[in-house]
Amino acid sequence: MFVITIVTLAGLVFGAVDGNDTGDYLKASAELMQQWRQLKFGLFVHWGPSSLLGKEISWSRGGQRRGTKGSGDIPVEVYDNLYRSFYPALFDADQWVQIARSAGMRYLVFTTKHHDGFCMFDSALTDYKITNSPYGTDIVKKLADACHRGGIKFGIYYSQPDWHHPDFKTENHARYIEYMHSQLRELCSNYGKVDMIFFDGLGSKSKYWDPSKVFKMIRQLQPDIVINNRGGLPGDYDTPEQKVGEFQQDRPWETCMTMAEHWSWRTEDRIKPLSVCIRSLVATVGGDGNFLLNVGPMPAGQIEPSQVQTLREMGKWLDKYGNSIYGTRGGPFKSGTWGVSTHSGRIFYLHFFNFYGKSFRLPPIPAKITGWSILTGGQAEIEQLPDGIVVSVPPQYRKEIDTIVALELDTDAGKIAPVSVSSGSLALNGTALASSVYRDRASNAAEKAFDDKVSTHWRSNTTGGWLQIKLEKPKKVTTAVIQQGSDYFGAEEYELLYMQDEQWKSLVNGTMLYQLNVFNFEAVSAQKFRLIVSRKDRQIMIREFQLFGPGSE
């Protein structure tokens, strides 16, 4: 195994790049970012030889991870030689692009090199690459060409950390920086138009990457590229991971999330239901972000059929309701467990994930509603009052995934400042308790799950525990809403209980909580409610634990 050392070639590789220059190469133009925002929905693909064992890419690799704690369960000598058996005979780049297009996706981002250092492209700088596998063909080249033919934007994921490279984070790290910069030059020179770069520096300081120099080189080679915030500089957009980002209009952002539990293909992985995937997309767009949904192809190169089916169903949904997604911006109503809003011109879309009673009350806006319709079918009643907007949709017209009401205003909805929406949860102002609090920090305290703010959370200090609320007085409850902080900290088992006659009684239980969970049950009258949660490998994070009664508005 060899890696070419290129210190002596620095002048040739980088020419006259000035790493201290502070020109426009540090950020994309406003026009380019506006175009990027309008893409809305993309396909993320994590793939490599680790799929042969059905294990997570990179993180399952044993051996040392310089700069990162822990080690995987596959011996390094086994993991690093998996490529010698990697022959994805069924890989069809055009089929991948067709699948993405059928899902309504408008861009694709592919892992050219993950933390394990294996290159899925024909780099001249190492022999640890796909063209030295039995397959022998440049995967990135095939995929880039297919995206260009298929009319969707092509992006590259590139990990700066490289646990395979002998110089990475050693006394010879300067040589690794030259190697990394030269590989990025290859990727920006040999694959046609590259629309975006998704760096993944694992939080390392910028000094490890010399980002000013590499940003300038990238933008010289690809002037119309956008770069994320993990390259050692702020870049062009933020990247919340495995969670829907917070409402944010002043800076572009993109949620990246797995369709399964893991990034790469694993045997018997759990796939998110269609409802969760669609709601995650809608919630992201309503928060004014883009949504990058990940799949992990199987060893032979096919995307798992169940994941393909979900993607195609998402596309069918977008065929019907895409006008409320594409060409819109998030807001002006801020996101919450109730749903989100989007807008385009004078049209203002309300996406209701949940109705807790006969109607839902929204705050007032400085515009007149001149008309409305219900995109998802049926009828709706809208009453605009001085103190708010009351939206009523009969139960037979409420959709399980998303009920969409379009309002027409007498002014551009984009001129309305963002407005917070109260959930009306009965748990507001209650007394919160928890079995533990992560590091005893006030920012992780139990009451954070009952404050009506999706930007805060309770986090346990253990892999299991409970979260409890005592209402001001006994109240009748028919619905509970649980919003998790992230799939990384999601509960694998849960039970919701209420106290009656000094004993805890079960309401609902199950084996998986997703980001937004709604539980309806026969009315119970109680003052104390408790959520018990657990998972095997990390703490639990809950953003909101809300309760509603039969007459909630």
Side-chain angles (χ1 to χ4, degrees):
M1 196 69 63
F2 73 90
V3 176
I4 295 177
T5 302
I6 54 174
V7 172
T8 59
L9 301 180
L12 175 63
V13 171
F14 296 109
V17 171
D18 180 2
N20 294 319
D21 190 276
T22 56
D24 289 339
Y25 65 86
L26 292 179
K27 60 181 181 179
S29 69
E31 180 183 6
L32 185 60
M33 291 314 300
Q34 176 61 18
Q35 294 172 7
W36 180 85
R37 283 181 189 266
Q38 294 309 317
L39 297 175
K40 298 302 182 189
F41 190 23
L43 181 66
F44 209 0
V45 183
H46 280 64
W47 191 39
S50 67
S51 61
L52 289 167
L53 299 181
K55 294 287 189 175
E56 186 68 291
I57 191 169
S58 299
W59 297 100
S60 61
R61 180 182 185 267
Q64 186 180 15
R65 299 174 180 168
R66 290 187 295 277
T68 306
K69 295 179 180 179
S71 184
D73 59 354
I74 302 176
V76 65
E77 63 274 12
V78 174
Y79 188 101
D80 287 356
N81 285 288
L82 288 172
Y83 79 101
R84 298 181 186 277
S85 303
F86 191 51
Y87 188 84
L90 300 182
F91 168 63
D92 184 335
D94 291 301
Q95 184 182 64
W96 283 16
V97 169
Q98 187 277 325
I99 290 169
R101 286 178 62 91
S102 72
M105 293 164 159
R106 296 183 171 181
Y107 62 107
L108 184 151
V109 179
F110 180 70
T111 50
T112 62
K113 178 175 79 82
H114 208 261
H115 314 317
D116 59 11
F118 184 75
C119 297
M120 295 291 278
F121 63 104
D122 188 21
S123 174
L125 305 170
T126 179
D127 67 348
Y128 192 47
K129 58 185 178 180
I130 188 66
T131 46
N132 283 341
S133 73
Y135 187 68
T137 303
D138 190 329
I139 293 285
V140 174
K141 176 66 174 172
K142 283 194 167 189
L143 202 49
D145 290 348
C147 286
H148 297 148
R149 283 193 301 270
I152 69 172
K153 304 289 186 181
F154 175 65
I156 61 174
Y157 167 105
Y158 184 89
S159 166
Q160 305 99 299
D162 188 326
W163 300 331
H164 179 269
H165 195 286
D167 294 329
F168 174 67
K169 287 195 174 179
T170 68
E171 65 276 9
N172 297 318
H173 186 74
R175 292 200 305 222
Y176 175 72
I177 292 177
E178 299 287 359
Y179 170 84
M180 182 192 80
H181 285 206
S182 296
Q183 281 204 325
L184 287 164
R185 176 173 285 275
E186 290 179 319
L187 288 165
C188 291
S189 301
N190 301 336
Y191 297 92
K193 191 173 190 304
V194 179
D195 297 287
M196 58 207 74
I197 290 184
F198 192 112
F199 283 121
D200 197 1
L202 295 180
S204 293
K205 295 180 179 179
S206 62
K207 67 179 182 179
Y208 289 109
W209 321 129
D210 198 359
S212 294
K213 182 180 287 186
V214 79
F215 270 46
K216 185 169 186 178
M217 178 193 72
I218 288 169
R219 294 204 199 272
Q220 287 175 336
L221 295 169
Q222 297 283 345
D224 296 327
I225 200 166
V226 299
I227 303 172
N228 76 348
N229 64 336
R230 303 188 189 187
L233 292 171
D236 301 315
Y237 64 98
D238 296 335
T239 54
E241 182 172 319
Q242 290 289 46
K243 64 180 180 180
V244 173
E246 298 173 21
F247 184 90
Q248 177 177 291
Q249 290 183 323
D250 58 346
R251 177 171 161 83
W253 59 276
E254 172 190 73
T255 278
C256 58
M257 184 182 293
T258 56
M259 183 181 292
E261 282 196 284
H262 302 89
W263 291 102
S264 55
W265 182 78
R266 294 188 62 167
T267 54
E268 300 181 358
D269 210 352
R270 287 188 286 201
I271 310 299
K272 291 181 175 67
L274 175 65
S275 59
V276 173
C277 294
I278 291 177
R279 282 187 173 184
S280 297
L281 166 64
V282 175
T284 300
V285 175
D288 210 31
N290 284 10
F291 188 54
L292 188 60
L293 183 61
N294 181 81
V295 298
M298 296 186 289
Q302 326 98 298
I303 299 174
E304 188 174 277
S306 61
Q307 298 189 36
V308 173
Q309 178 63 27
T310 296
L311 290 172
R312 295 199 192 283
E313 291 298 322
M314 293 183 77
K316 292 177 183 177
W317 188 90
L318 284 165
D319 286 343
K320 293 180 180 179
Y321 311 121
N323 285 346
S324 68
I325 300 295
Y326 302 121
T328 69
R329 293 290 300 272
F333 289 136
K334 291 185 178 182
S335 312
T337 59
W338 67 275
V340 301
S341 65
T342 59
H343 66 270
S344 177
R346 294 190 299 115
I347 305 301
F348 181 8
Y349 300 99
L350 302 173
H351 294 262
F352 288 99
F353 297 156
N354 303 295
F355 274 92
Y356 309 125
K358 294 179 180 179
S359 59
F360 191 83
R361 182 179 290 270
L362 293 162
I365 56 173
K368 182 179 179 181
I369 299 171
T370 59
W372 64 85
S373 63
I374 181 164
L375 268 62
T376 43
Q379 299 176 351
E381 295 273 344
I382 307 294
E383 189 176 8
Q384 188 171 21
L385 304 170
D387 62 345
I389 302 167
V390 179
V391 182
S392 302
V393 177
Q396 65 268 32
Y397 300 132
R398 300 176 186 178
K399 301 299 182 182
E400 179 183 356
I401 295 176
D402 183 9
T403 304
I404 308 173
V405 177
L407 307 181
E408 186 172 353
L409 307 182
D410 65 351
T411 188
D412 188 338
K415 296 179 180 179
I416 302 173
V419 184
S420 296
V421 179
S422 173
S423 69
S425 170
L426 301 175
L428 279 170
N429 303 316
T431 303
L433 292 173
S435 56
S436 66
V437 172
Y438 184 66
R439 296 184 177 178
D440 291 323
R441 291 176 179 170
S443 59
N444 298 314
E447 56 264 27
K448 298 297 183 181
F450 302 97
D451 61 3
D452 222 14
K453 298 177 182 178
V454 295
S455 59
T456 61
H457 61 259
W458 165 69
R459 183 174 173 184
S460 69
N461 202 41
T462 60
T463 56
W466 50 263
L467 182 63
Q468 180 178 309
I469 190 70
K470 180 181 178 182
L471 308 182
E472 293 179 296
K473 60 182 180 180
K475 293 183 179 180
K476 189 175 288 186
V477 175
T478 57
T479 302
V481 177
I482 311 297
Q483 184 168 6
Q484 295 197 138
S486 164
D487 284 349
Y488 279 144
F489 301 101
E492 293 174 328
E493 294 185 350
Y494 66 88
E495 185 173 16
L496 179 64
L497 309 101
Y498 68 102
M499 180 168 281
Q500 188 177 73
D501 299 328
E502 300 302 317
Q503 292 186 338
W504 288 109
K505 297 189 176 182
S506 181
L507 277 171
V508 291
N509 60 75
T511 57
M512 192 68 186
L513 281 179
Y514 293 99
Q515 294 234 349
L516 183 62
N517 310 269
V518 180
F519 303 110
N520 295 303
F521 38 81
E522 293 293 325
V524 297
S525 184
Q527 190 172 11
K528 291 183 180 180
F529 294 82
R530 176 178 286 187
L531 176 67
I532 300 175
V533 286
S534 66
R535 68 172 295 135
K536 299 184 185 74
D537 55 353
R538 59 179 69 95
Q539 304 90 14
I540 305 294
M541 184 186 292
I542 302 292
R543 288 192 182 276
E544 282 297 307
F545 179 5
Q546 299 175 345
L547 300 171
F548 301 91
S552 296
E553 181 182 290

